[in-house]
Amino acid sequence: MSVPLTLLGLIEREPSHGYDLKRDYDTFFGRGRPLPFGQVYSTLGRLARDGKVVISDVEAGDGPDRKRYVITDLGATEVDAWLTEPVEPEPHLQTVLFSKVMLSLMLQRPAREYLDTQRAAHMRRMRELHQIKKGDDLIEALLADHALFHLEADLRWIELTVARLDHLAQLVRR
Amino acid sequence: MRGQAIVEARDVVLSFGETPALRGATFAADRGEIVAVMGPSGSGKTTLLHCLAGILAPTAGEIHFAGGRIDNRSEHDRSSLRREHFGFVFQFGQLVPELTVEENVALPLLLGGARRAAALAEARGWLERLGLSGAHARRSGELSGGQAQRVALARGMINRPQVLFADEPTGSLDSLTGEHVMDLLVAAAREHGTTVVLVTHEPRVAVYADREVIVRDGLVHALAADRSGS
Ligand SMILES: Nc1ncnc2c1ncn2[C@@H]1O[C@H](COP(=O)(O)OP(=O)(O)OP(=O)(O)O)[C@@H](O)[C@H]1O
Ligand SMILES: [Mg+2]
């Protein structure tokens, strides 16, 4: 699940209150499924407990949104590792690939390099599946085919996204 | 580390009028290697292939084949080089519809001055091997897409080329037929130690290759190192 890492990335972009984080998440990542406030705060609580964010200034007043969260070195390292490492190539990666692209653009990281790394991981997995297909087992071959078609769909999306990175970067710029 | 390149493009620039198709493309394939050339439409894949094959002469940069520079040779020289050492398979067979299947396959040998009977016998051998022995006397215009691509493959391989240039060889076929053609293409290339430059935008076709490069905006990119393991 990429919600904690996405929130962490948004905090890296700019020290933020829970409310800002929810708004940015819903705008760019929620895709019509807003993040409940409860989940925002429970996630922030865990990130703080694990030393990935700290609370900078607590403003006077009531309500849960008095705290501003700032990323720590540990948190920044985690965001970097997440963006840099390709995810395990398997079908249904849409949300995580999408989040990584958006976030790396927001943080002005080399999104294109990440996508190429992901592409290489996908191609490598496809080669393995291709080898499986070359065996005699028809059932194995059919299952490999299913995975191959799905990974190919990911790759098409990756290629299309590479072609649109400049546009997308403008969209998330502010 | 790369081994010994059989065919190579060095910083190749080529424009069609105002349109820059290649903007410093560098590419090499080793002997016996199968390399997939991927990338979006219009990025310069076909242009790169045509430069490597000596069909187009680059505006700047060099093309090398088997250790010698070829882009500065005459059109006549390049054309005989193609006939002797290169084979071609294109997306839509590009067979000669008026000729029979076996005549189409034998064409490279006939153009090279081979005797007709010997050339046709050789063609039949290839047709048999590609599962088309029954079709040798038919007009190529009567073939299905998959059959036509197998005929094109036979024609591309009949002169035992050192390099086979394949531009979207499965582009017009369904998945299963495309796989069949690729299985045959790879088997034939491996058997004869033929280098293959395989242009395709389909990842499932590219995985037949030993490695792939991507052409974007007239430049060739090797894939970023895969850091996910090993
Ligand atoms: N004969 C030509 N005359 C003018 N422009 C050309 C010619 N051939 C190619 N181009 C242009 O050069 C660029 C590269 O074309 P090329 O055919 O190499 O692309 P491609 O990667 O093979 O694309 P596709 O996947 O669609 O086959 C394109 O902008 C194309 O319009
Ligand atoms: Mg092309």
Side-chain angles (χ1 to χ4, degrees):
Chain A
M1 198 44 192
S2 54
V3 170
L5 283 157
T6 306
L7 291 184
L8 204 50
L10 288 171
I11 297 168
E12 169 165 348
R13 188 192 199 196
E14 188 175 58
S16 310
H17 293 88
Y19 176 81
D20 304 323
L21 292 169
K22 175 183 159 47
R23 188 200 52 217
D24 284 354
Y25 187 95
D26 290 350
T27 303
F28 292 109
F29 301 94
R31 306 289 89 205
R33 295 177 54 194
L35 202 56
F37 264 116
Q39 192 180 347
V40 174
Y41 288 108
S42 62
T43 304
L44 288 171
R46 275 194 302 277
L47 290 173
R49 179 200 66 199
D50 297 341
K52 293 167 191 168
V53 297
V54 291
I55 296 154
S56 66
D57 28 48
V58 180
E59 290 154 19
D62 291 332
D65 206 33
R66 291 171 300 136
K67 298 169 182 168
R68 214 154 71 106
Y69 295 85
V70 181
I71 199 161
T72 62
D73 284 348
L74 179 65
T77 306
E78 182 147 322
V79 171
D80 188 59
W82 184 60
L83 290 176
T84 312
E85 291 299 314
V87 287
E88 197 61 43
E90 59 187 28
H92 318 304
L93 290 177
Q94 183 231 2
T95 43
V96 53
L97 289 182
F98 172 79
S99 300
K100 287 178 71 160
V101 170
M102 291 295 277
L103 206 54
S104 51
L105 288 173
M106 286 178 169
L107 300 177
Q108 292 173 23
R109 301 286 178 80
R112 165 72 199 275
E113 271 174 40
Y114 298 159
L115 284 170
D116 278 350
T117 306
Q118 190 63 53
R119 190 179 204 289
H122 265 63
M123 287 301 295
R124 199 174 66 146
R125 179 71 190 126
M126 286 186 72
R127 287 220 163 78
E128 289 166 9
L129 291 162
H130 183 71
Q131 285 313 313
I132 291 172
K133 270 181 68 170
K134 295 295 134 197
D136 286 336
D137 191 330
L138 182 58
I139 302 296
E140 287 288 326
L142 284 173
L143 290 169
D145 265 330
H146 186 266
L148 281 166
F149 279 112
H150 278 87
L151 293 174
E152 182 166 83
D154 279 349
L155 281 169
R156 286 184 182 205
W157 181 85
I158 287 171
E159 202 51 50
L160 205 68
T161 305
V162 166
R164 290 175 170 167
L165 277 179
D166 290 347
H167 263 86
L168 207 54
Q170 282 169 18
L171 195 76
V172 303
R173 188 171 303 146
R174 50 175 200 179
Chain B
M1 255 339 266
R2 307 211 38 88
Q4 189 194 11
I6 177 102
V7 65
E8 196 177 349
R10 295 184 190 163
D11 293 319
V12 166
V13 175
L14 190 144
S15 297
F16 296 101
E18 297 289 282
T19 315
L22 295 176
R23 301 186 300 130
T26 292
F27 171 91
D30 291 347
R31 275 180 201 282
E33 197 182 23
I34 302 181
V35 186
V37 177
M38 307 187 72
S41 194
S43 60
K45 303 181 296 295
T46 296
T47 307
L48 174 66
L49 191 122
H50 287 174
C51 285
L52 288 166
I55 296 170
L56 290 172
T59 321
E62 300 178 3
I63 304 293
H64 291 249
F65 167 69
R69 190 170 168 186
I70 62 165
D71 59 281
N72 53 4
R73 302 237 210 116
S74 70
E75 169 51 35
H76 175 270
D77 279 6
R78 282 187 278 133
S79 152
S80 52
L81 190 89
R82 285 200 294 275
R83 233 179 12 248
E84 282 168 43
H85 300 297
F86 297 162
F88 296 89
V89 182
F90 299 107
Q91 178 169 0
F92 301 102
Q94 298 193 356
L95 304 172
V96 185
E98 297 81 17
L99 298 182
T100 63
V101 163
E102 64 184 1
E103 285 166 342
N104 266 285
V105 174
L107 211 51
L109 296 181
L110 296 171
L111 291 174
R115 284 185 32 251
R116 185 174 166 84
L120 290 180
E122 180 78 12
R124 264 176 238 151
W126 273 98
L127 288 170
E128 191 170 329
R129 157 167 197 181
L130 299 184
L132 287 165
S133 16
H136 66 97
R138 287 168 67 183
R139 306 271 150 205
S140 66
E142 303 165 11
L143 300 174
S144 74
Q147 289 168 330
Q149 286 310 72
R150 280 183 282 159
V151 172
L153 174 59
R155 186 183 59 183
M157 288 297 293
I158 196 167
N159 59 346
R160 316 269 159 115
Q162 300 210 43
V163 185
L164 181 71
F165 294 98
D167 196 350
E168 301 280 6
T170 62
S172 57
L173 307 178
D174 67 37
S175 303
L176 197 58
T177 313
E179 268 182 31
H180 186 46
V181 167
M182 281 310 299
D183 283 333
L184 293 167
L185 187 154
V186 167
R190 295 285 190 220
E191 185 183 324
H192 295 282
T194 308
T195 301
V196 181
V197 181
L198 169 69
V199 170
T200 181
H201 65 272
E202 291 177 275
R204 275 173 312 105
V205 173
V207 292
Y208 281 86
D210 300 312
R211 66 184 167 95
E212 69 271 355
V213 298
I214 311 177
V215 181
R216 287 188 188 128
D217 288 333
L219 291 172
V220 184
H221 301 263
L223 269 191
D226 179 355
R227 281 179 281 182
S228 68
S230 73

